[in-house]
Amino acid sequence: MRVLKFGGTSVGSPESMRGVANILKNEAESLVVLSAISGTTNRLAEIAEYFRSNQEHLALKEIDVLEGEYKIFIDELIQDAVILKDLTAILDARFIDLKRAFVKLQPAELERSILAQGELMSTSIFHRYLKSIGVENHLLNALDVLRLKSDLEPDSEFLKSALSQEVNAKPGLKIIQGYICRNAFGEIDNLKRGGSDYSASLFGAALSAEEIQIWTDIDGMHNNDPRYVTGTKSIERLSFNEAAELAYFGAKILHPSSVHPAHVANIPVILKNTQRPEAKGTRIDMMGSGTGIKAIAAKDGITAIKVKSGRMLLAYGFLKKIFEVFDWYKTSIDMITTSEVAVSLTIDQNDQIEHIRADLEKIGSVEIDENQSIICLVGDELQELPGLAVNAFSALKEVNIRMISFGGSKHNISVLVDSKDKVKALQALHENLFQS
Ligand code: ADP
Ligand code: ASP
Ligand code: MG
């Protein structure tokens, strides 16, 4: 069996949904994972924020607008009058619930519960659309099978047994929501923005699927970020390690955690374009396609922290004390470099920064710079390639490099730059590494 995930733009219009149905023609036994209709999760986040800031009238107004758009969507999509009536009633109930959520739920749960509505609605719509064109299928509920443990990791054992049970009980095509899950308290939660890729990988691993396909709006992983660089090209084949580094370091086509479950279960991941199903896309598997730089990615929102010891040399235990601070505030470190008297490191989450600063100041003097970007060159066995680092850095002669990390993994070289220099750096590296 295969798992196929379709992202927001792939289900973003009645026409796109018809395209997805077409792709599923020969997928009689597959599990189909859907995102919310494109734009919906952002709109729901806005609605939740209006509720949170006591601007209930704005929230209700936005819900009405969204409801109107969904009505137009389903009217255009579904010809069968009985199924359309049934679906209209289901969506009506969802929008009524959305308006009442404010009264019924506590603030923290309110936001997560509102955010979940996008995937619940897109799967309801697609399930009934397929029925209306004579394609039998079952609608599963991700909230019944995917839950997080108290350490926020997915409960893989539970998923395996609960999802297998559902799948075995319901032969044929199955539809399920990406992104949404329950937390350790049983409340509605999610896998963070872009999390449907992660859901697909978790479901694929739980079912020992033969393949996980991620269908999106581009023909696979490109060798640089197409949002900032022109002339990027699709990569035919990547190893799990390469894909994981790219996803983690900002290639938005894959959620940062989405490669790991497929990698552990050794299930190939295929990235495909819904608008051009005939294009080859990218295959991610254990083998990959040999050494060399495959792609460049950038991750924004990075904070650089430098801690300088009061002594002439880094004392024994200095690093341990620093790491303990980050451990305490559950903040993971991406890059790290050390010198005779100082340590520089980067983090990608800022919510505890003032506590972290206060604790680090007990150890040494602290400098913090926000708005940094990590630029990452990815490829297997990069250390084996003589001259590669020199070539890469010569491309960056116009850019002020704040940190360099090479050798931490065999699959990447990373540099830290001010975010205002990111596009210039991506373009210069692209020209130097892929076009000359
Ligand atoms: P979906 O809604 O299908 O999950 P996303 O918007 O999350 O789609 O991911 C696809 C987008 O990722 C592409 O449209 C592209 O702009 C962006 N992207 C960023 N880096 C890359 C890359 N290296 N290769 C391909 N796409 C990338
Ligand atoms: N709908 C969610 C989001 O927009 C999850 C996803 O699309 O993967 O972030
Ligand atoms: Mg995505």
Side-chain angles (χ1 to χ4, degrees), residues 118-136:
E119 274 70 12
L120 289 167
M121 292 199 288
S122 66
T123 47
S124 270
I125 293 172
F126 191 63
H127 164 62
R128 283 173 183 79
Y129 164 62
L130 286 181
K131 282 200 155 181
S132 77
I133 56 167
V135 178
E136 276 312 311

Side-chain angles (χ1 to χ4, degrees), residues 5 194 197 252-253:
K5 175 256 169 176
D197 306 324
K252 184 180 176 245
I253 186 168

Side-chain angles (χ1 to χ4, degrees), residues 5-11 35-36 38 193-197 214-228 232-235 246 250-255 271-272 274 282 295-298:
K5 175 256 169 176
F6 293 88
T9 44
S10 302
V11 292
S35 289
S38 58
R193 297 304 304 270
S196 297
D197 306 324
I214 307 284
W215 289 80
T216 181
D217 59 359
I218 189 165
D219 47 351
M221 180 73 78
H222 278 217
N223 58 0
N224 204 330
D225 196 321
R227 293 168 298 177
Y228 307 112
T232 61
K233 290 208 170 61
S234 171
I235 307 167
L246 286 167
K252 184 180 176 245
I253 186 168
L254 285 173
H255 178 278
L271 309 179
K272 297 277 287 176
T274 317
T282 301
I296 307 165

